[in-house]
Amino acid sequence: MQKIGNLLISSITIASIFMPLEIVKAQEKIEVIPLIQSTKGLGGKKISYPRWKQAELRFFKVVIPIGAKTPIHTHPAPMVVYLAKGKLKHIRGDVINYFSSKQSLIESNNGDEHFVENVGNEPAILYVVAASAVGLPTTINK
């Protein structure tokens, strides 16, 4: 019986330590931090959405090895790209942009051909959201 009493007292003591932490956590406010917003893509072209098919949102994690380049390509649907880790070189014709960890960019579905190269010393990790349509490819390689 004494063991049960000791166990009960121990449980109440532990609960009384952690319960105030839960109350503090519940009082913390939710933050919404805008990262990027635009009506145009990186190349300056306006964004539009496919209207002839069922809309579809896509969310990808993309890992680009050190020194790797994507093929030259376009995107038929607009997308938001967040570079979580690494350093990228984005080449569209004569225009070169560099992006590093925790930066974002928007690609327009009306954008010109481009490619991306990992110029960092670690694999680049990107998170990509495409506002597309069912059956529409995310990337069209040239």
Side-chain angles (χ1 to χ4, degrees):
M1 189 68 169
Q2 185 175 356
K3 286 184 181 181
I4 294 173
N6 288 342
L7 182 60
L8 183 60
I9 290 171
S10 296
S11 298
I12 292 170
T13 303
I14 290 171
S16 67
I17 291 170
F18 290 109
M19 194 173 296
L21 294 177
E22 292 301 317
I23 293 169
V24 169
K25 285 182 185 177
Q27 292 173 350
E28 292 179 12
K29 293 187 179 187
I30 296 171
E31 270 188 275
V32 177
I33 302 167
L35 297 178
I36 192 165
Q37 180 176 335
S38 181
T39 59
K40 296 179 182 177
L42 186 61
K45 304 281 178 104
K46 289 184 179 181
I47 295 168
S48 63
Y49 296 101
R51 294 186 181 134
W52 65 95
K53 290 188 174 187
Q54 171 62 48
E56 179 179 73
L57 291 175
R58 301 174 187 161
F59 184 44
F60 302 97
K61 176 181 180 181
V62 179
V63 180
I64 302 176
I66 300 167
K69 295 179 186 177
T70 65
I72 295 173
H73 64 275
T74 60
H75 301 285
M79 60 179 50
V80 176
V81 179
Y82 174 74
L83 178 58
K85 184 176 178 183
K87 186 172 182 183
L88 293 178
K89 181 178 179 181
H90 183 284
I91 300 99
R92 183 186 318 274
D94 294 336
V95 179
I96 299 174
N97 291 288
Y98 289 91
F99 296 93
S100 56
S101 294
K102 300 181 181 157
Q103 288 188 306
S104 299
L105 66 110
I106 294 175
E107 282 290 355
S108 169
N109 55 309
N110 297 309
D112 297 323
E113 296 177 351
H114 61 278
F115 69 96
V116 175
E117 178 181 4
N118 180 348
V119 294
N121 56 7
E122 62 185 340
I125 299 176
L126 301 86
Y127 292 96
V128 180
V129 175
S132 193
V134 173
L136 193 66
T138 302
T139 302
I140 300 173
N141 293 336
K142 299 296 176 170

